Amino acid sequence: TISEEQEKKIKTMIEYNIINVISLEHRELRLQQFHEESKQQGFGYRVWPGIICRGNNKQGINLASRQIVQYAKDNNLPYVCIAEDDCRFFAPGAWKYFLEKKPDDFDIYFSMYYACDTMVKDRIMDVFSGMTMYIVSQRFYDVFLSAPNDCHIDREMLGPIAKNYLFMVCDQVVCEQDGSRSDNTQTSMNYRPFLKGRKIFGDIPMD
C-alpha cells in the first residue's frame, strides 16, 4: 500500500497535464478541434458532458463546471483544470507556459479574462468575464460548490466575492474562445477586440 502523501503526489503528477473539457454532444467539430489542440500543446484531457437548462443557458454552463469540481473534491485532487471546447491556444508552448506560471498560492488561476472592473497586478478583485480555461485549487472546492448555480460563474457567482479570495491570472493571454456560436448567448462573436493592449503569448496581433 502507498501512503496518503504518496497518493497525493501521484494525483498531482497526473492532474498536472490534464484539462477537463466541457462539450455538448452535438459539438463534434469543436471537440475535434480541441483534440488537435491537445496534440499540438501536449496535454491530455477528459471530456465532460455539457448540460442544457432550457430557459437558463448560464445555469447549464454553471452546472457543467460544477460537476468537474465535485469530481475533483470526491477524488481528493489537489487542483483541477477546466476548459470549454472552444478554447484555442495562441501558439505552440502556450499550455506549458500557463503551467509554468501557475502560482503557488491561489484559489483560482485563470488563463485569461476579457473584462474586469478591478485588477491589481495579475489579481482579479471584482466582477469579471472570462472562463475559457482555469484551474481551481482544492481549498476552493467547497466555496465553488456552495455558491448559487443558476447564474453566470464569472460575473455573478465569483465576481462579487473576488476581493475575498486569490483569483490570479496568467501574465500573458495564452488562449481565447474561437468565436463560434456561444451556448450562452446563442450568437457568434469575435472576442479579440477585448484583448487589445494585452500581452498575448506568441505576440499574436489582436487587430
Side-chain angles (χ1 to χ4, degrees):
T1 60
I2 61 174
S3 67
E4 184 176 332
E5 184 64 27
Q6 288 173 322
E7 182 181 10
K8 184 177 180 180
K9 286 182 179 180
I10 291 171
K11 287 181 176 179
T12 300
M13 289 171 62
I14 293 172
E15 289 307 305
Y16 184 74
N17 202 43
I18 294 290
I19 298 179
N20 293 269
V21 59
I22 300 167
S23 185
L24 290 167
E25 187 176 1
H26 65 279
R27 294 291 199 179
E28 294 179 359
L29 179 57
R30 273 192 183 183
L31 190 57
Q32 181 182 341
Q33 291 171 334
F34 189 83
H35 177 70
E36 294 303 316
E37 293 283 319
S38 77
K39 291 194 295 184
Q40 182 190 71
Q41 297 291 331
F43 60 80
Y45 63 93
R46 299 186 189 96
V47 180
W48 292 81
I51 296 175
I52 297 175
C53 292
R54 301 296 180 189
N56 190 347
N57 295 326
K58 56 190 178 183
Q59 183 174 32
I61 297 168
N62 193 313
L63 292 174
S65 301
R66 195 172 294 250
Q67 68 182 331
I68 300 171
V69 176
Q70 185 66 60
Y71 164 84
K73 178 182 177 180
D74 292 345
N75 287 276
N76 196 32
L77 301 183
Y79 51 77
V80 65
C81 184
I82 302 172
E84 298 180 4
D85 59 5
D86 61 351
C87 173
R88 304 290 176 258
F89 291 89
F90 278 114
W95 165 249
K96 182 180 179 182
Y97 182 86
F98 175 65
L99 292 182
E100 289 174 347
K101 291 293 182 175
K102 182 171 67 68
D104 294 328
D105 189 20
F106 70 95
D107 291 299
I108 303 181
Y109 172 49
F110 294 91
S111 61
M112 51 77 71
Y113 69 94
Y114 289 116
C116 181
D117 286 355
T118 306
M119 287 284 297
V120 177
K121 294 185 178 180
D122 293 324
R123 181 181 176 187
I124 292 172
M125 298 289 288
D126 209 331
V127 174
F128 69 100
S129 175
M131 303 292 293
T132 302
M133 184 178 73
Y134 57 100
I135 295 177
V136 184
S137 171
Q138 185 174 33
R139 72 187 190 193
F140 195 73
Y141 293 165
D142 287 338
V143 179
F144 195 106
L145 293 170
S146 63
N149 66 13
D150 61 347
C151 59
H152 290 290
I153 300 176
D154 44 12
R155 296 194 291 275
E156 298 172 295
M157 188 179 102
L158 297 177
I161 64 172
K163 63 181 181 295
N164 301 321
Y165 296 95
L166 283 178
F167 294 166
M168 308 304 294
V169 184
C170 187
D171 63 359
Q172 293 191 38
V173 181
V174 298
C175 62
E176 63 177 337
Q177 289 172 262
D178 68 6
S180 58
R181 187 176 179 84
S182 167
D183 295 312
N184 181 21
T185 64
Q186 298 300 306
T187 60
S188 298
M189 184 173 180
N190 175 19
Y191 295 95
R192 289 197 168 189
F194 294 101
L195 299 177
K196 284 186 177 180
R198 307 272 185 83
K199 178 62 177 175
I200 308 297
F201 184 85
D203 295 321
I204 307 299
M206 293 295 102
D207 299 330

